[in-house]
Amino acid sequence: MTLPPLETVRRNGRAIACRAAGEGTPLLLLHGIGSGSASWEAQLEGLSGRFRVIAWDAPGYGGSDPLPGGRPHSGAYGDAVADLLDGLEVERVHLLGHSLGGLIAAAFAARHPRRLLSVTLSDAAAGYLNSPEELRVDRLNARIEAMTVLGPAEVAKRRAREVLSPSAPEETYQKVFAVQSRVRPDGYAQAARMLHNSDIFADAATIGVPALVMYGSEDKVTPESIGRDIAATINGARYVTLKGVGHASYVEDPEAFNAALVEFLDGQE
């Protein structure tokens, strides 16, 4: 499949870009900190026969303008999701957030609950708000310094393997690297600050729609123990282990990922 072209809406003076394929009930995909809308190629292709699949570029990524200020909170990203839906004239969605996108999905759920049909959190990041201050500061500074000094391509070269299982083929690595190497440093820095000042658990506890939590069994970035704790926070959440894959589960094994998602979403129709 050729990736759908970027389309852009403007809300509150800012551009928000996305790719879309298919018709039917909207399914909105939110990527992680080192990614972008292009990473969802297998979902745009594999799910568009059943849903209107929409993959955004988060603020400061791809074709989207950054948020105001240097330290936007997760709620500001959640409101940007609402802005995109308004621009696309979409009222309610199935929402899926991967990694950092999981933090954003939970923030959206807390702030805009009536716009949700369901929520799926995939290898979601928990945020570092409740970590020791020194650890939070050191990790944040290391992230931003690496992107500033090395640049996106070199960071991607070092990072792409970390989000995959040891058995992932070279082709999958190249797919992850290609998207990571195009990350914009300004958007990455904003997102890193949000990650290090957020806690998913408070927002996740407010989710009142059907919820699915999925983690790769080989995820070393956000281990399954985090996923199970998040799932326990959400009333009635379903938990699924994606066997043999790492953090970028939807890229590494899109067939298993899509099948688990469709099984869950079919139960909501």
Side-chain angles (χ1 to χ4, degrees):
M1 175 186 184
T2 301
L3 271 173
L6 281 177
E7 53 184 283
T8 303
V9 302
R10 296 197 67 86
R11 304 292 296 182
N12 300 316
R14 296 190 306 277
I16 308 173
C18 66
R19 303 176 192 272
E23 298 180 354
T25 306
L27 167 63
L28 178 59
L29 311 175
L30 311 179
H31 61 80
I33 193 170
S35 197
S37 61
S39 67
W40 296 102
E41 181 177 8
Q43 286 68 45
L44 287 161
E45 179 177 14
L47 301 173
S48 58
R50 308 174 68 107
F51 304 98
R52 180 186 177 188
V53 185
I54 305 162
W56 86 336
D57 281 332
Y61 285 72
S64 297
D65 291 336
L67 291 168
R71 297 179 178 273
H73 54 82
S74 59
Y77 285 84
D79 290 343
V81 173
D83 286 341
L84 173 62
L85 296 180
D86 289 343
L88 295 174
E89 298 183 347
V90 171
E91 182 57 33
R92 301 179 72 202
V93 294
H94 294 297
L95 185 62
L96 189 160
H98 177 262
S99 194
L100 183 88
L103 273 170
I104 298 170
F108 178 86
R111 296 167 76 88
H112 304 278
R114 291 182 177 85
R115 305 196 70 168
L116 286 170
L117 297 168
S118 72
V119 175
T120 297
L121 303 177
S122 161
D123 303 275
Y128 293 104
L129 180 63
N130 294 319
S131 298
E133 180 69 15
E134 184 176 355
L135 177 65
R136 290 174 60 232
V137 172
D138 287 348
R139 285 186 174 178
L140 175 59
N141 290 342
R143 279 182 182 272
I144 294 177
E145 181 180 2
M147 185 62 71
T148 302
V149 174
L150 300 175
E154 186 61 33
V155 170
K157 187 183 298 183
R158 301 180 180 203
R159 182 70 168 165
R161 287 287 180 199
E162 296 177 7
V163 301
L164 298 170
S165 72
S167 61
E170 178 66 18
E171 179 185 5
T172 304
Y173 166 79
Q174 292 298 335
K175 288 181 179 179
V176 173
F177 171 79
V179 176
Q180 286 192 350
S181 64
R182 294 195 294 269
V183 167
R184 288 167 43 189
D186 58 340
Y188 182 90
Q190 279 194 333
R193 293 186 181 102
M194 183 270 277
L195 172 64
H196 286 263
N197 289 287
S198 296
D199 171 36
I200 197 173
F201 290 97
D203 287 339
T206 71
I207 294 174
V209 294
L212 171 66
V213 181
M214 295 194 291
Y215 278 66
S217 65
E218 302 300 313
D219 189 342
K220 300 301 189 291
V221 178
T222 54
E224 277 202 90
S225 57
I226 294 175
R228 293 186 185 280
D229 286 346
I230 293 171
T233 304
I234 305 169
N235 185 35
R238 179 188 303 183
Y239 185 86
V240 170
T241 296
L242 297 170
K243 295 181 179 179
V245 295
H247 185 64
S249 54
Y250 68 100
V251 181
E252 189 169 351
D253 192 349
E255 291 80 11
F257 184 96
N258 290 359
L261 180 61
V262 167
E263 180 182 1
F264 166 68
L265 295 180
D266 277 353
Q268 315 314 318
E269 295 296 324

